[in-house]
Amino acid sequence: MPVKTNAARILDGFAIRYRLQEYAVDEHDLSAETVAAKVGMPPEQVFKTLVARGDKTGVLLACIPGSEELDLKALATVSRNKKVEMVPLKDVQPLTGYVRGGVSPVGTKKRYPVFFDESILLWETVAVSAGTRGCQVILAPSELIRAVAGVTGGIARPKPE
């Protein structure tokens, strides 16, 4: 039985249907592509959550396909910042409550806006970290967006054209 994470408890609180998928963690390879292979999904369907900081808005999260690199300029545009940078790795856990390789868009320590890549809407289900290394939560994108908006106050916006 997979461990019940804070993110899973929050989804339960919203009566959102999901499935937890555990996998073996390789501390030397925490890439989304590796996680995708371990949970049996294409990397485009497994979304990684990255922590960034805008020059105007402060900390924000970007949820993008595992096969993609974050476009900082596009994120700056949709988040109404002039500049966005990734936060240093040492700051990820203090800011989110999650460790690298286990950052979930659901249930972060503080309320941060969350921006989803528009491709999330192309899938019937997607996987995101359940809030710990070695466990993904698989659910409908609309339900993930609803949970994030309800819990973190985040705004889900597509990336600019």
Side-chain angles (χ1 to χ4, degrees):
M1 181 87 157
V3 64
K4 209 45 127 154
T5 64
N6 188 44
R9 285 189 286 280
I10 289 168
L11 296 174
D12 289 343
F14 281 107
I16 290 175
R17 292 178 47 159
Y18 65 90
R19 176 173 57 90
L20 293 175
Q21 176 70 50
E22 291 185 309
Y23 60 92
V25 177
D26 177 354
E27 296 287 334
H28 301 290
D29 184 0
L30 299 173
S31 72
E33 291 89 347
T34 298
V35 171
K38 290 182 177 187
V39 298
M41 297 172 82
E44 300 80 17
Q45 196 174 356
V46 176
F47 281 69
K48 57 188 173 186
T49 305
L50 304 173
V51 186
R53 187 183 316 268
D55 63 334
K56 294 181 179 179
T57 61
V59 177
L60 51 98
L61 304 178
C63 210
I64 66 171
S67 57
E68 299 295 321
E69 292 293 321
L70 181 59
D71 182 338
L72 293 171
K73 288 183 180 181
L75 183 58
T77 300
V78 298
S79 65
R80 297 188 172 102
N81 285 285
K82 285 190 178 191
K83 185 178 181 183
V84 170
E85 296 178 334
M86 297 298 295
V87 301
L89 186 55
K90 68 179 179 51
D91 294 340
V92 170
Q93 187 170 14
L95 289 170
T96 66
Y98 295 129
V99 297
R100 176 180 172 254
V103 177
S104 178
V106 179
T108 52
K109 198 164 131 174
K110 294 182 183 175
R111 298 169 69 121
Y112 301 121
V114 180
F115 296 86
F116 292 93
D117 185 274
E118 65 188 351
S119 68
I120 199 167
L121 299 174
L122 301 175
W123 299 101
E124 198 170 300
T125 60
V126 294
V128 295
S129 176
T132 187
R133 290 178 183 163
C135 191
Q136 293 282 298
V137 61
I138 300 169
L139 72 171
S142 60
E143 295 287 64
L144 174 61
I145 292 167
R146 179 168 72 92
V148 167
V151 173
T152 67
I155 300 167
R157 293 194 179 115
K159 65 183 179 183
E161 295 294 319

